[in-house]
Amino acid sequence: LKQTGTQAVASVGLMNNFNMLMNNVFQSFGVGVAVVVAQYCGKGDSRATGKVAIQGLIISIGAALLVSCGCFIFREGLLRFLLADSEEQVYVFSRIYLKYYLVAIPFIATYTVTASAIRGSGHPKNSLITIVLFNGLIFLIPTISILFVIAQIIYDLHYREMFVSDKEVREV
C-alpha cells in the first residue's frame, strides 16, 4: 500500500509538467485576447470588443478540444514520452490522471480566456468575482461529493446493522 501511494504521487508529479505546458498555452491565448480587448476598449468600440472576446473564446475552445482529442488518441505515446522508464503502476495512475485532465482542458481554456477578456475590458471587479466563483465551485463540488460518499457509507452501515439485527431477531 505504501508503494502504491508513492507511485500515485510520482504519477501526479510527472504529469504536472504536461499540465503546466497546457496551462501556459491557454494563458498565452488569454494574454492575446486581453491585449486586443483592451485596445478596442481604449478606442471605445464596445461592439468590436465583444466580437474579439467571442472569437478568442471560440478559437481557444476549438484548440482545447483539438488538443484534448489529439492527446486522447495518442495518449500511450504521450505517456511514454512523459514518463519514459517509469514503473508500470506509475503508467496506470498516469492514464487515469491524464484522462480526467484531458476532459478538463476545454473548461480550463474557457475560464482562462474569459477571465483574461474581462481583465482586458478594464473591469477587474468582474474578473475577481469570476475567480472567486470559480474557486468556490472548485471547493464546493468535491466537498459535496465527499459528504455524499460519507452519507452513503453511514446509510449503508446503518442499513446493514438493521438488516443483521432483524435477521438475528428472526432466528431467536
Side-chain angles (χ1 to χ4, degrees):
L1 206 53
K2 181 181 175 186
Q3 185 65 17
T4 301
T6 303
Q7 291 167 336
V9 170
S11 170
V12 170
L14 290 168
M15 293 305 295
N16 272 339
N17 293 329
F18 177 71
N19 296 354
M20 294 307 292
L21 174 67
M22 289 295 104
N23 289 344
N24 288 335
V25 166
F26 292 108
Q27 284 290 338
S28 66
F29 275 105
V31 168
V33 168
V35 167
V36 177
V37 164
Q39 184 180 22
Y40 280 114
C41 279
K43 291 179 182 178
D45 191 352
S46 61
R47 187 174 189 156
T49 301
K51 282 185 178 181
V52 166
I54 290 171
Q55 287 174 353
L57 187 60
I58 290 170
I59 290 170
S60 67
I61 291 171
L65 289 171
L66 235 122
V67 167
S68 290
C69 291
C71 288
F72 184 78
I73 291 168
F74 299 109
R75 66 186 176 276
E76 291 304 317
L78 177 64
L79 287 171
R80 277 193 302 275
F81 175 74
L82 293 172
L83 304 177
D85 296 330
S86 298
E87 296 176 15
E88 183 57 34
Q89 198 62 31
V90 173
Y91 273 90
V92 170
F93 288 125
S94 295
R95 280 184 195 95
I96 296 167
Y97 188 83
L98 182 64
K99 190 184 331 176
Y100 286 107
Y101 184 72
L102 292 177
V103 169
I105 287 177
F107 298 104
I108 292 168
T110 301
Y111 166 74
T112 302
V113 171
T114 302
S116 297
I118 292 170
R119 274 186 234 113
S121 71
H123 300 289
K125 183 179 176 184
N126 292 342
S127 180
L128 178 63
I129 291 169
T130 305
I131 290 168
V132 169
L133 288 174
F134 184 75
N135 289 335
L137 286 174
I138 287 174
F139 171 76
L140 192 61
I141 291 171
T143 302
I144 290 171
S145 300
I146 290 168
L147 290 175
F148 178 75
V149 168
I150 290 170
Q152 186 67 39
I153 291 169
I154 291 170
Y155 175 78
D156 287 346
L157 290 174
H158 179 67
Y159 179 74
R160 213 175 279 144
E161 181 179 297
M162 285 176 49
F163 182 71
V164 170
S165 61
D166 285 347
K167 188 176 180 182
E168 290 171 358
V169 169
R170 285 185 211 142
E171 290 176 1
V172 173

